Amino acid sequence: MNEETLLRETLRDWSEQARVPADLADRALRRRRRRRWLPALAAVVTAAAVVTGALVLPGTFRQKPAPAVDATVTAVASPPPSDIQVDTDNNPPKTFIAAGRVAVSAYSTLSWDPTDRGTEVLRYHWSLYNPVTGRYEQADWSWVQVARGLRFAAVMEGDLPADRVGILDMTTRQVVRWVGVEQGAGSAYWSPDGTRLLVTTYAGPPNETRWLDKKHTSFQPEPSDRTGFAVVDASTGQITFRPVLANSSDPLGMGNFGRDFLWSEDGTLIYEFLSSEPGKAFYDLQGNPRPDPSDGMILNQEAGVSPNGKLIADRGQPPGPQTVVKDRATGKVVGVQPMLRLLAWADDEHLIALGCAGSCQNEFNAALVLVSLDGKEVVQLSTYRENTNDPDSWQPQLTLR
Amino acid sequence: MDAADERGFREFVSARSPALMGLAYLLTGGDQHAAEDLVQTSLAKAVTRWARIDDPEAYVKRTMYHQQVSTWRLAWRRHETSVAEPPERVAGDHTSRIDLRLTLRQALSRLTARQRAVLVLRYFEDLPEDEIARIMGCSVGTVRSTAHRSLARLRTLARELTPTQEELTR
């Protein structure tokens, strides 16, 4: 094949990767109507910039200053693709894996690195999706969390806690904003709408643990170094820190292990896991304790509630492997799947799950699969990992695209 | 814009959106969000003079080229020059066709907007050189020399980006 043909084919294939928003005409018409206000608006923006000291950011950020990581806007305006992309040849994967509205945006492996204190600290090793090449690429970041829309990722560098969190443009691979976290950032999670980051702050290495055996099955609880949390507005970089005592809700304590704060499903509250019932403690964004918003709903599968809000993923009957999907209103089982875990909803009728190999003689020999509600259609998305419990085995990060 | 014009505009967008988005996607080097912005901005310009435009598709495409090249020139200069140089690599002997295309995509995304636009106009839109010159507002000679330099740069980048056999099998 000659160079010209290859170039033509490449351009044609690449152009077909573009998603076509359904509302382009509406957007253009709205934009024209807004233009009438532009001179007045420009004056206001200029004045504000003088007062606050505007930051120079790439055009994409400047054009839509409202929700910083405007992946949210696009995720709503542009329907996510319904295609399925698999990599069943490479372990770990090399090329993009996605199904419906969900993609493997990154994956990580873990290692426990010894300290001179007789403890070990957890280290993540990341590979991050590159939208330009369609491949996963190894990255030096010590923390990666991709925002919905796959346009930006929160990243940290070096040993954790880190003194700043970066917002990485997935396409250019450049950090477009650094946000200083003087209290020390141990984790950073995007809010469900992709506009804010929840940073858990630590005075020492997060997850530092004194293991009692080589297989890392039992540990001696260490006092936690967690100091609180901070919420970052991704569009402005404004950060608000709230101190929260590490053991305020969990006096017996999980030690220093797994103490990160996470967003509630609707992004109005945050929570942490507890070592005993009720299992989770919720707080508002000022750090005040709040009741569990799930109202008795059992959320024991990562997939949670379906996009239309009508169905909920649940565990099935032992011995398994079995998962079920229930009608959220009546509790009636609407589908049974021979899966280990339900991880995410690809659409209202399909889920991304962890499926066992063969007759499931080894529950840790599992692959990512797409499964229908009735469990009858199964599409393998990734290779089977021989031992999903092994730290060396890659762990996918699933993100809405 | 009256109701009939608006209906005509909507019909045009509905029919031509895939082509416009595909083109914008290439011009922006595979950036979905920038491509949407580019199409949206160009369509908004077309709306303001819809009744006077003879060939809407040609008008919108021309606006997209100009918009992208000038946006790049002004605001994305830093982005353009801050891409780290890829490490030197030796080309693999058995590089597959898919790998080649992925490598080419990566190389295309590293060209300047103008270099990429010339190649897109020539090899994706299949336009003759005089038409490309008209759209880009330059001479046919400039189109030829830009295309030549763009291809040369593409070859260099592709060679640098081609994974070694070891990397391909890792």
Side-chain angles (χ1 to χ4, degrees):
Chain A
M1 184 170 45
N2 68 26
E3 180 185 74
E4 193 171 304
T5 310
L6 181 64
L7 184 53
R8 283 181 200 281
E9 280 187 6
T10 301
L11 288 167
R12 193 181 60 241
D13 284 353
W14 203 18
S15 74
E16 287 168 2
Q17 301 276 311
R19 300 199 300 271
V20 182
D23 62 344
L24 275 175
D26 285 328
R27 288 197 216 173
L29 289 164
R30 274 200 304 272
R31 199 164 178 139
R32 177 197 54 145
R33 282 163 197 145
R34 274 207 310 270
R35 284 169 74 91
R36 294 173 196 162
W37 297 96
L38 272 181
L41 187 65
V44 174
V45 170
T46 308
V50 170
V51 174
T52 59
L55 291 169
V56 177
L57 287 171
T60 43
F61 264 79
R62 281 206 315 274
Q63 284 163 15
K64 292 176 189 153
V69 178
D70 53 1
T72 317
V73 175
T74 312
V76 174
S78 171
S82 56
D83 62 316
I84 300 170
Q85 300 198 46
V86 308
D87 183 352
T88 52
D89 295 328
N90 300 297
N91 185 22
K94 285 184 180 174
T95 60
F96 192 43
I97 294 175
R101 62 181 201 144
V102 178
V104 175
S105 58
Y107 60 82
S108 60
T109 57
L110 304 176
S111 63
W112 285 97
D113 294 357
T115 68
D116 53 12
R117 299 179 287 278
T119 58
E120 291 173 53
V121 292
L122 186 64
R123 200 174 294 277
Y124 297 94
H125 309 276
W126 291 98
S127 289
L128 182 61
Y129 169 57
N130 184 338
V132 175
T133 61
R135 285 173 166 259
Y136 298 101
E137 294 172 356
Q138 283 186 7
D140 288 334
W141 307 113
S142 48
W143 181 266
V144 168
Q145 246 273 316
V146 178
R148 64 183 298 174
L150 311 188
R151 190 178 179 191
F152 296 103
V155 294
M156 296 183 213
E157 56 192 350
D159 293 337
L160 299 179
D163 57 8
R164 59 182 186 169
V165 176
I167 295 174
L168 178 81
D169 184 319
M170 298 271 285
T171 302
T172 64
R173 313 306 257 191
Q174 306 289 317
V175 171
V176 295
R177 184 192 288 284
W178 284 108
V179 179
V181 184
E182 59 181 283
Q183 295 82 6
S187 67
Y189 290 94
W190 289 97
S191 59
D193 65 2
T195 61
R196 293 165 294 163
L197 281 168
L198 173 61
V199 177
T200 305
T201 57
Y202 292 86
N207 296 311
E208 181 173 359
T209 301
R210 191 176 300 277
W211 290 102
L212 299 175
D213 60 339
K214 284 186 179 174
K215 288 187 174 178
H216 293 162
T217 56
S218 58
F219 64 89
Q220 178 184 320
E222 291 284 302
S224 174
D225 288 324
R226 194 185 72 188
T227 54
F229 68 88
V231 176
V232 177
D233 181 325
S235 67
T236 61
Q238 187 183 4
I239 181 167
T240 310
F241 172 70
R242 305 283 177 188
V244 175
L245 290 176
N247 295 322
S248 58
S249 303
D250 199 20
L252 292 175
M254 292 169 60
N256 195 34
F257 191 68
R259 304 309 309 266
D260 295 342
F261 288 105
L262 302 160
W263 291 99
S264 66
E265 196 137 341
D266 65 358
T268 58
L269 300 176
I270 64 171
Y271 68 91
E272 63 172 321
F273 284 105
L274 304 179
S275 58
S276 53
E277 290 299 325
K280 290 177 187 174
F282 285 82
Y283 305 87
D284 63 20
L285 297 186
Q286 282 70 50
N288 304 308
R290 285 285 178 266
D292 184 339
S294 63
D295 198 24
M297 185 169 63
I298 297 167
L299 289 168
N300 59 34
Q301 301 289 300
E302 289 95 323
V305 177
S306 62
N308 64 12
K310 293 179 180 170
L311 304 172
I312 185 165
D314 200 353
R315 66 167 73 97
Q317 296 295 318
Q322 190 187 85
T323 53
V324 298
V325 169
K326 292 177 175 174
D327 183 299
R328 195 176 166 192
T330 64
K332 189 182 164 196
V333 173
V334 297
V336 179
Q337 309 83 31
M339 294 294 140
L340 294 166
R341 276 157 54 206
L342 298 176
L343 303 176
W345 288 88
D347 59 29
D348 286 319
E349 291 163 357
H350 298 86
L351 295 108
I352 292 180
L354 204 55
C356 236
S359 56
C360 205
Q361 287 166 316
N362 174 4
E363 64 174 307
F364 297 117
N365 185 359
L368 288 180
V369 299
L370 182 70
V371 63
S372 59
L373 280 186
D374 62 8
K376 289 178 181 166
E377 293 171 49
V378 178
V379 178
Q380 187 184 334
L381 301 173
S382 76
T383 53
Y384 284 92
R385 288 170 281 168
E386 283 183 9
N387 182 359
T388 52
N389 215 22
D390 185 341
D392 288 338
S393 172
W394 59 277
Q395 300 295 328
Q397 184 173 111
L398 297 174
T399 307
L400 292 179
R401 47 177 177 158
Chain B
M1 177 179 256
D2 61 21
D5 280 348
E6 184 166 330
R7 198 164 53 246
F9 174 74
R10 286 182 182 281
E11 281 169 6
F12 164 74
V13 175
S14 170
R16 302 308 302 156
S17 281
L20 296 174
M21 274 303 299
L23 179 60
Y25 194 73
L26 293 180
L27 290 173
T28 56
D31 184 331
Q32 171 73 23
H33 299 265
E36 288 182 24
D37 280 347
L38 185 59
V39 173
Q40 192 179 319
T41 309
S42 304
L43 286 173
K45 280 189 179 168
V47 166
T48 60
R49 61 201 70 184
W50 186 253
R52 303 191 297 278
I53 299 174
D54 293 331
D55 183 346
E57 184 159 351
Y59 177 87
V60 173
K61 284 183 174 177
R62 204 162 49 239
T63 308
M64 279 163 51
Y65 294 126
H66 290 166
Q67 178 82 10
Q68 179 60 12
V69 173
S70 61
T71 301
W72 184 281
R73 230 186 252 138
L74 295 172
W76 287 68
R77 190 72 204 167
R78 187 174 155 270
H79 162 96
E80 182 187 335
T81 53
S82 63
V83 174
E85 280 299 312
E88 285 289 333
R89 288 173 180 172
V90 182
D93 292 336
H94 306 287
T95 308
S96 73
R97 198 156 152 173
I98 291 175
D99 283 323
L100 260 177
R101 286 194 204 167
L102 290 174
T103 303
L104 259 187
R105 276 189 201 179
Q106 207 173 351
L108 279 161
S109 72
R110 293 190 180 192
L111 295 179
T112 67
R114 193 176 178 82
Q115 287 173 334
R116 194 166 50 241
V118 167
L119 296 183
V120 170
L121 290 167
R122 182 75 190 84
Y123 296 104
F124 180 69
E125 293 280 278
D126 269 330
L127 295 180
E129 286 173 340
D130 57 346
E131 178 64 12
I132 298 173
R134 199 173 65 77
I135 288 172
M136 301 198 73
C138 60
S139 67
V140 171
T142 304
V143 169
R144 278 186 198 144
S145 60
T146 307
H148 181 76
R149 277 200 302 274
S150 307
L151 281 174
R153 174 79 181 134
L154 194 64
R155 284 185 206 112
T156 307
L157 282 169
R159 204 164 40 244
E160 287 170 344
L161 290 166
T162 301
T164 60
Q165 184 60 20
E166 186 192 347
E167 285 166 321
L168 284 171
T169 53
R170 196 166 55 197

